[in-house]
Amino acid sequence: MIALPETPCYLNGEYTRLCDAKVSVLDRGFIFGDGVYEAIPVYDRRLFRFDEHIARLGRSLAKLRIPNPMDEARWLSVMRRLVADHPAGTQLVYIQVTRGVAMRDHVPPADPVPTVFVMTNELKQASAEQRHQGVACITARDFRWERGDIKSTSLLGSVLARMVSADQGATETILFRDGWLTEASSSNVWVVQEGALLGPPKSEHLLEGIRYELLRELCEDMGIAYNLRPIAEADVLAADEVLLSSATKEVLPVTRIDGAEVGHGALRGKPGPVYARLYEAYQNAKKLQSI
């Protein structure tokens, strides 16, 4: 059995140690994956884009008809206490809310009492080598369920998708549904064409990452064209640049896809200028948009 750390966590109204936290085997999160989650990065003990993450948590809960167990002020209070008690300054706060405990039945209980769990761990960030050289990705058919817009704890499809790239030593699996880009197994995917940043439109097939709005704001500030539109697989493979974004990756350059180098000319196989500008702007945003 893996020895769990003694770092602090929050479970159903009580603060405890991660190694001591326990939930019922009949929790619907354990039995059905019937719950949602959020992950909020913390820089210098300050939560990054807290309001946006909590708003998305509320949207996911509403789509599953699970009552939100806390208001925004209470969520913030819990997270700030856990962040303050953790030894690392750069962290990732993980929130999970399930429909709670009930006898096993596909029909949810009419009056659920949600299970609420919050923990924080040191944030594992992309390495300097990954940022300097870029990362490799593998492509695959998007075989996951149709409600990718819900940040559900039912992540088996994403786990299987990530295994595709892990088996080949790559960083991510870029997914296509009927020939159109959706997202990666745990990241949003962006392409750069003629200096413009392009992403797939919001839909039920992909999660609206918090960086969707953040990158739009950064592009607007820097005069970079930003557009959401359907992106064909051929456009991804022929792009000037390809980027990943997520809470842990921030924004990360992709320089190889299925073994082929991304980009053209002297920049082929190298991180491009749009990535460099967005990464620098992202670092500035971390100082200004954290609470």
Side-chain angles (χ1 to χ4, degrees), residues 41 49 65 77 83 121 130 162 197 209 231 241 243 249 272:
R49 307 283 283 199
R65 290 187 279 175
S77 174
V83 167
N121 292 298
Q130 287 177 314
R162 181 64 183 93
L197 184 70
I231 300 174
E241 300 179 44
L243 312 176
K249 298 178 183 69

Side-chain angles (χ1 to χ4, degrees), residues 60-87:
S60 292
L61 288 168
K63 289 172 182 177
L64 294 187
R65 290 187 279 175
I66 297 175
N68 195 328
M70 296 193 284
D71 61 21
E72 186 173 307
R74 179 59 178 157
W75 281 118
L76 182 58
S77 174
V78 168
M79 285 182 237
R80 279 183 165 164
R81 173 167 170 173
L82 293 177
V83 167
D85 289 345
H86 195 281

Side-chain angles (χ1 to χ4, degrees), residues 52 65 112 164-165 179 207 209 214 239 270 272:
E52 291 83 353
R65 290 187 279 175
V164 172
S165 49
L207 182 69
L214 173 59
K270 300 178 181 179

